[in-house]
Amino acid sequence: MYIKKIIGEYIDPYFNLLRAKLFQHSTNKVSDGFTILDTGLASDNLGDLIINYYCGKVFDELNMSIKNSIPTHRKPTKSELKSLKETNLKIVTGTNILNSTMNRMAVWKLPSNITALQNVCLMGVGWSGYTEKENYYTRNLLEYMLSKTYLHSVRDSYTENKLRKLGIENVVNTACPTMWNLTEEYCRDIPTTKSSNVVTTITDYDQDRENDWFMLDTLLELYSNVYVWIQGDNDEKYLDSYPRKDELLKVSNSLEAYNKLLEKEDLDYVGTRLHAGVHALNYKRRSLIISIDNRAREIARDTGLPIIERKQLQNSLRERILSNIDISIRLPEENIKYWKQQFIKNSILK
């Protein structure tokens, strides 16, 4: 078992990268359009679907021609690999897909033959966790895959600085594409005072029963109805261990169900799922995101996204809910515009 782990985490990835560098891929024919490296396909987290919904709106706005979509949550099939070779540009759509040990933390399921994964452009991508120096494999993999000519979009300054330290200078911080509609004018219409109802989320893979249950208890105390949207496949199993679960109103594990709730109900959002909260803001719902890791924290530092740290809930959650929450997002609008413009000018993608 130990030997198999060593082969899977070290020998195979390093060998595959070396082979790719020795046998650089080139095509005689490159079709129009581009390939989406889709972080929403085959995902067990509907937050990835939210990200890709907003990325899709941007592609529509720019009239970009999508040749195909290939998932990052599983390895591509032979036919998908073949189609990758037929498009020059590949765009990765959001999520925290980068990390410092990409041979070990396999968020991005790379194929054995990565020669087709060149000229990759990032769109609102984030770095997973706070980490020290990147290992040799990660540095060389990103240098090999990421485009030297297209401008990369990342969702926070932390990720931008990580890439710049690796020598990848063609990068700008655009915030997450889910936020690109949240202009100053748009946010003026978001209520600042507490609603009668609330929708919440919990996170199965990062559990903290003391603080998560405190959050749910507080919401039940302060709101007439508390809806729980099941964003991740295993959230419901975690929720089942909450002693007062029968007092909650479950919203099924589909984006359609969440959209219907946001459309019809007068409600706030208070929960641990970042993109559920940002999606609620796009529906002009007052939102307070519980920060449980670096993602919401770093985006909030750059943009003013309304968050509260989970470890601070027992001291300040009740006060934050009862107080006015002024939604004032500082979007890097020039960076967003700059990233978009490169595709407007490039006729291959039309």
Side-chain angles (χ1 to χ4, degrees):
M1 189 70 177
Y2 180 72
I3 294 175
K4 186 176 179 181
K5 183 179 180 183
I6 292 295
I7 292 172
E9 291 185 358
Y10 295 96
I11 296 176
D12 284 348
Y14 281 82
F15 173 76
N16 293 335
L17 180 57
L18 177 61
R19 180 177 61 181
K21 286 191 167 188
L22 289 174
F23 302 100
Q24 294 281 336
H25 169 67
S26 63
T27 58
N28 295 323
K29 180 181 179 182
V30 177
S31 65
D32 291 344
F34 72 101
T35 294
I36 298 176
L37 293 170
D38 196 319
T39 57
L41 295 174
S43 174
D44 62 0
N45 178 359
L46 292 175
D48 292 327
L49 205 61
I50 291 173
I51 295 170
N52 281 273
Y53 167 75
Y54 288 99
C55 289
K57 290 181 71 172
V58 173
F59 298 144
D60 289 343
E61 171 198 337
L62 300 177
N63 195 30
M64 293 173 67
S65 175
I66 301 168
K67 181 72 175 178
N68 44 53
S69 295
I70 293 175
T72 60
H73 282 285
R74 64 161 173 78
K75 291 186 178 183
T77 63
K78 285 183 180 180
S79 63
E80 288 169 342
L81 273 176
K82 185 178 180 227
S83 68
L84 269 173
K85 294 176 183 178
E86 294 172 353
T87 51
N88 182 41
L89 177 66
K90 298 91 183 174
I91 298 180
V92 184
T93 49
T95 204
N96 55 327
I97 201 169
L98 304 180
N99 61 71
S100 295
T101 54
M102 292 189 69
N103 56 311
R104 297 173 61 190
M105 293 178 63
V107 178
W108 190 347
K109 306 294 185 184
L110 296 171
S112 298
N113 185 353
I114 62 171
T115 54
L117 283 170
Q118 290 180 275
N119 205 34
V120 170
C121 181
L122 305 178
M123 181 183 188
V125 166
W127 202 276
S128 179
Y130 293 114
T131 55
E132 297 299 325
K133 190 176 180 180
E134 293 65 51
N135 66 13
Y136 176 86
Y137 174 80
T138 299
R139 294 196 304 272
N140 282 270
L141 176 72
L142 295 180
E143 190 276 334
Y144 176 80
M145 289 199 306
L146 296 187
S147 174
K148 309 296 189 298
T149 54
Y150 284 97
L151 184 66
H152 300 289
S153 149
V154 294
R155 69 186 184 192
D156 55 59
S157 296
Y158 180 75
T159 306
E160 180 185 11
N161 291 334
K162 280 286 188 183
L163 290 176
R164 289 189 182 277
K165 286 178 183 177
L166 294 176
I168 300 165
E169 297 288 339
N170 52 323
V171 56
V172 288
N173 173 14
T174 61
C176 183
T178 58
M179 302 175 65
W180 291 2
N181 293 324
L182 301 178
T183 61
E184 183 179 351
E185 181 180 2
Y186 191 91
C187 289
R188 286 197 198 106
D189 293 334
I190 299 175
T192 60
T193 56
K194 175 183 164 297
S195 296
S196 301
N197 307 308
V198 68
V199 59
T200 187
T201 54
I202 55 174
T203 305
D204 70 284
Y205 61 81
D206 193 340
Q207 300 180 12
D208 178 348
R209 278 177 167 77
E210 180 182 354
N211 285 307
D212 291 342
W213 294 174
F214 177 84
M215 175 189 74
L216 294 175
D217 286 345
T218 304
L219 297 181
L220 284 168
E221 176 192 349
L222 297 180
Y223 290 93
S224 300
N225 293 296
V226 179
Y227 298 90
V228 184
W229 182 45
I230 308 300
Q231 179 178 308
D233 282 0
N234 296 311
D235 287 356
E236 189 165 11
K237 183 178 179 182
Y238 177 36
L239 186 65
D240 283 343
S241 61
Y242 175 54
R244 302 174 64 187
K245 63 182 180 181
D246 292 339
E247 299 177 54
L248 304 169
L249 302 171
K250 288 183 186 176
V251 182
S252 64
N253 178 228
S254 79
L255 186 53
E256 181 183 10
Y258 188 42
N259 290 343
K260 286 181 178 178
L261 178 70
L262 292 173
E263 286 169 358
K264 73 174 187 176
E265 288 290 343
D266 173 28
L267 81 175
D268 293 344
Y269 171 86
V270 180
T272 62
R273 294 287 192 170
L274 167 62
H275 296 295
V278 177
H279 195 47
L281 287 173
N282 277 276
Y283 275 80
K284 297 184 179 179
R285 302 305 183 192
R286 179 178 180 259
S287 299
L288 181 61
I289 295 161
I290 314 300
S291 174
I292 62 175
D293 55 30
N294 72 309
R295 294 169 302 157
R297 186 177 304 125
E298 292 301 325
I299 291 174
R301 184 173 286 130
D302 292 338
T303 67
L305 185 73
I307 69 164
I308 180 173
E309 294 289 339
R310 183 158 62 179
K311 62 184 179 182
Q312 297 297 325
L313 289 181
Q314 298 188 41
N315 294 327
S316 54
L317 177 61
R318 181 185 176 88
E319 179 185 353
R320 287 291 298 277
I321 290 173
L322 294 175
S323 302
N324 283 10
I325 298 178
D326 225 353
I327 311 295
S328 182
I329 304 296
R330 302 183 301 272
L331 281 181
E333 295 186 42
E334 285 302 310
N335 287 348
I336 295 169
K337 182 180 177 181
Y338 192 25
W339 187 84
K340 288 179 177 180
Q341 279 179 338
Q342 67 185 332
F343 303 112
I344 296 172
K345 296 174 182 176
N346 192 331
S347 61
I348 291 177
L349 303 179
K350 302 299 183 185

